[in-house]
Amino acid sequence: MRHLQLGSCPDSWGVWFADDPRQTPWNRFLDELSGAGYHWLELGPYGYLPTDSSLLTDELAKRDLTCAGGTVAGVGGPHKDFDAVMAETRKVAALTAALGAKNLIFVPVPGYRDDVTGAYHQAAELDADAWKTLTSNSDTLGKMLAEEYGLALRFHPHADYHVETQAQTERFLDDTDPAFVSLCLDTGHLAYRQADVPAIIRRYPERIGYVHIKQMDPAIAARAKADDLPFGQAVAQGASVEPPAGSPDVPSVLEALGELDAELFVVVEQDMYPVDFDLPLPIATRTRTYLNSAGLRSRPARER
């Protein structure tokens, strides 16, 4: 599986926001990411890591780390205030391109409800007009990124957003332009909503552009559904688990990814916000060891 390149990201260290005292300091994160045996990283929330590209390039280089992609999050979906979405995306795109990466991961949070209180801000399903706005704006965003920054848009289905189930994900792919929009396949979020992840990979092989690999505890996911818990509360209860303890089955996912004819980053993203600072490093190390045993490696950029 040499066409699959293993990496990790700040989320696996409990980082959801640009600035939060309950999050691991950025320099400790980079030290521990490298120490855990990873060579590639996704940047995470804009502003968590230094946004000066020269400084960040130096910080990554001295740890033998390379950027796999930038992350846009915290601005909601493309069907919302699109001017704000475009402005934030451009900021992240400029930094990502300056670091030499080619992927822009768009995480549509916040979604239709509050992670803390569980309050619904809007309906869980978009009406026809809003769905059309979502897909049209996603095409516009992807076209802008490709033409102005040389980046590929990787759209991330997310629990408590309007693209979260297998049916919604497939509809989104059917209704967007394959020239400008592909998927950041998040195995955990899709499994949380009971999707057949290998089936999505095999049904849309040309649209899988990037992967977040993680697992969910099926029992906690079922309880969250039964009790109508928001995703943030489910995470706080331990919904996102260390492989191979949860769902989907990692070997089955890797088998399907192994059939693809494309180079892909497969980035570990275990949701753990908030988390004690001493917990992520051993988990990340064990996860890397497990994924290595399944044939997935993190090779330095010079060996790619």
Side-chain angles (χ1 to χ4, degrees):
M1 293 189 287
R2 285 193 63 84
H3 65 298
L4 305 179
Q5 179 68 275
L6 178 63
S8 192
C9 64
D11 197 1
S12 296
W13 268 256
V15 176
W16 278 14
F17 305 102
D19 185 21
D20 187 317
R22 293 188 293 176
Q23 295 178 167
T24 302
W26 68 266
N27 49 355
R28 176 174 176 171
F29 158 67
L30 291 180
D31 287 343
E32 293 190 352
L33 177 69
S34 177
Y38 296 89
H39 295 283
W40 293 86
L41 83 158
E42 186 181 317
L43 299 181
Y46 184 83
Y48 171 65
L49 295 173
T51 57
D52 180 297
S53 60
S54 296
L55 172 61
L56 185 53
T57 296
D58 290 343
E59 293 290 342
L60 297 183
K62 69 186 183 183
R63 297 172 174 88
D64 201 14
L65 295 170
T66 307
C67 178
T71 319
V72 175
V75 293
H79 68 290
K80 298 182 181 179
D81 185 353
F82 194 52
D83 288 342
V85 169
M86 285 286 277
E88 185 68 17
T89 301
R90 286 182 183 279
K91 285 197 309 184
V92 178
L95 177 60
T96 303
L99 294 173
K102 298 297 183 184
N103 301 286
L104 196 292
I105 297 83
F106 191 97
V107 186
V109 292
Y112 55 73
R113 67 187 305 193
D114 189 283
D115 260 337
V116 177
T117 68
Y120 284 82
H121 301 308
Q122 57 186 299
E125 292 280 348
L126 294 178
D127 62 26
D129 288 342
W131 182 266
K132 177 62 177 174
T133 300
L134 165 63
T135 56
S136 176
N137 286 351
S138 296
D139 288 344
T140 299
L141 205 60
K143 188 172 188 292
M144 179 274 291
L145 288 169
E147 294 179 350
E148 298 184 25
Y149 296 94
L151 299 175
L153 175 65
R154 314 302 191 187
F155 190 91
H156 180 303
H158 199 284
D160 292 352
Y161 181 68
H162 309 280
V163 183
E164 58 179 329
T165 67
Q166 181 168 350
Q168 290 168 336
T169 299
E170 293 180 352
R171 181 187 178 195
F172 177 81
L173 292 175
D174 289 340
D175 292 350
T176 51
D177 188 340
F180 297 116
V181 180
S182 59
L183 209 61
C184 170
L185 181 88
D186 188 290
T187 64
H189 281 271
L190 289 165
Y192 184 78
R193 295 303 190 203
Q194 299 180 308
D196 184 338
V197 177
I200 295 174
I201 296 169
R202 292 188 170 105
R203 193 167 298 161
Y204 295 90
E206 303 301 323
R207 304 297 294 279
I208 309 300
Y210 193 94
V211 179
H212 280 170
I213 193 159
K214 62 171 174 261
Q215 290 187 309
M216 294 291 177
D217 183 321
I220 294 178
R223 185 168 70 244
K225 181 178 180 180
D227 296 343
D228 193 30
L229 298 179
F231 181 67
Q233 289 185 20
V235 168
Q237 293 181 15
S240 187
V241 296
E242 178 181 343
S247 179
D249 176 65
V250 169
S252 296
V253 171
L254 292 182
E255 180 182 1
L257 291 174
E259 297 167 5
L260 301 181
D261 184 23
E263 290 195 5
L264 295 174
F265 286 105
V266 181
V267 172
V268 177
E269 193 201 40
Q270 184 175 345
D271 295 307
M272 292 193 293
Y273 176 85
V275 67
D276 182 276
F277 290 178
D278 291 332
L279 290 180
L281 176 58
I283 292 174
T285 303
R286 290 193 299 268
T287 298
R288 193 261 309 153
T289 300
Y290 168 72
L291 292 173
N292 285 172
S293 73
L296 192 57
R297 301 284 175 178
S298 186
R299 301 180 298 278
R302 61 182 178 275
E303 297 179 15
R304 190 181 177 192

